[in-house]
Amino acid sequence: MNDLPLSSALDEETARAELYGLLAALFYAPPAPELLAQLRLAPTEAPSAGAYLEEPWRALVGAARATSDAAIQDEFDALFGGVGKPAVSVYGSEYLSGFLNEKPLAALRDDLARLGLARDAGMPETEDHFACLCEVMRYLIAGDEVEVCNLTQQQAFFARHLQPWSERFCDAIAARPQQPFYAALAGFTRAFMAIEAQGFDLLD
């Protein structure tokens, strides 16, 4: 992923893309030490326009500073790893239909194909992984293909594939406070998704 949004001087669209990239990196795998080092050095003012994000961002940076790399990896494994069914699912299909690889995933694949996107054959996760959806949003914000990377496509993709289940995903993580870094990340993610939803509502 790209550098963290360390400066509040970043324009809003760049900040949005960076935040989606950050969420993708933190939810896809245990964070690399380099990423956590960046996060711990981040200023704690709101990384994007609007004070609503300031407190959850401060909580996330504080949790990163208070938690070791090894402990954060243990949190990730406790929440999303392990043998059998994980404590918290990262797949949209499970929240939307109750099962993995169901109709929501097929609908997502259809929409990705219309956007000219496809899953990398070497990627073990399905496209409805929360991190993968965040990467798609980052592309739709920051990509160069203006006929695809625009607010209309962002709004449609967010409304269909992230908004219906992201709050429940965050709630499932927050319900396990014994993982304080990821509980803070869930709080920040919930706040960011709420701002995204409000911004898209203004387009209607």
Side-chain angles (χ1 to χ4, degrees):
M1 61 161 280
N2 298 327
D3 289 340
L4 292 179
L6 300 183
S7 170
S8 58
L10 287 172
D11 69 87
E12 184 178 352
E13 292 306 289
T14 300
R16 288 178 61 225
E18 294 291 351
L19 287 174
Y20 273 114
L22 175 62
L23 295 181
L26 292 174
F27 281 116
Y28 188 74
E34 296 79 9
L35 175 58
L36 291 174
Q38 278 192 292
L39 185 56
R40 292 177 183 122
L41 292 173
T44 53
E45 69 266 17
S48 168
Y52 184 67
L53 280 180
E54 188 165 357
E55 188 53 40
W57 177 255
R58 183 181 293 115
L60 175 59
V61 173
R65 292 171 179 171
T67 313
S68 69
D69 290 10
I72 290 173
Q73 176 159 349
D74 288 344
E75 287 191 26
F76 183 94
D77 292 341
L79 288 167
F80 312 121
V83 178
K85 186 177 176 66
V88 176
S89 175
V90 293
Y91 299 102
S93 295
E94 190 158 353
Y95 292 89
L96 296 172
S97 70
F99 301 96
L100 293 173
N101 303 321
E102 286 290 321
K103 290 181 180 179
L105 179 58
L108 170 61
R109 286 173 173 164
D110 288 343
D111 286 349
L112 290 174
R114 280 192 286 272
L115 294 171
L117 301 174
R119 174 171 170 260
D120 188 317
M123 187 179 71
E125 308 294 349
T126 52
E127 298 91 328
D128 59 336
H129 190 296
F130 185 79
C132 298
L133 298 174
C134 287
E135 277 294 332
V136 174
M137 286 298 296
R138 185 171 73 90
Y139 169 72
L140 295 178
I141 296 165
D144 295 327
E145 304 293 331
V146 294
E147 67 277 9
V148 170
C149 304
N150 56 61
L151 278 171
T152 299
Q153 297 287 5
Q154 293 167 37
Q155 181 186 34
F157 190 87
F158 180 86
R160 190 171 191 191
H161 300 297
L162 270 169
Q163 189 174 6
W165 67 279
S166 60
E167 186 171 357
R168 280 181 285 161
F169 172 58
C170 292
D171 288 346
I173 298 170
R176 298 176 63 86
Q178 63 269 40
Q179 281 83 39
F181 174 78
Y182 275 92
L185 179 59
F188 178 78
T189 303
R190 184 187 293 109
F192 179 56
M193 293 291 154
I195 287 178
E196 287 286 278
Q198 292 166 12
F200 288 132
D201 285 346
L202 294 176
L203 298 178
D204 294 329

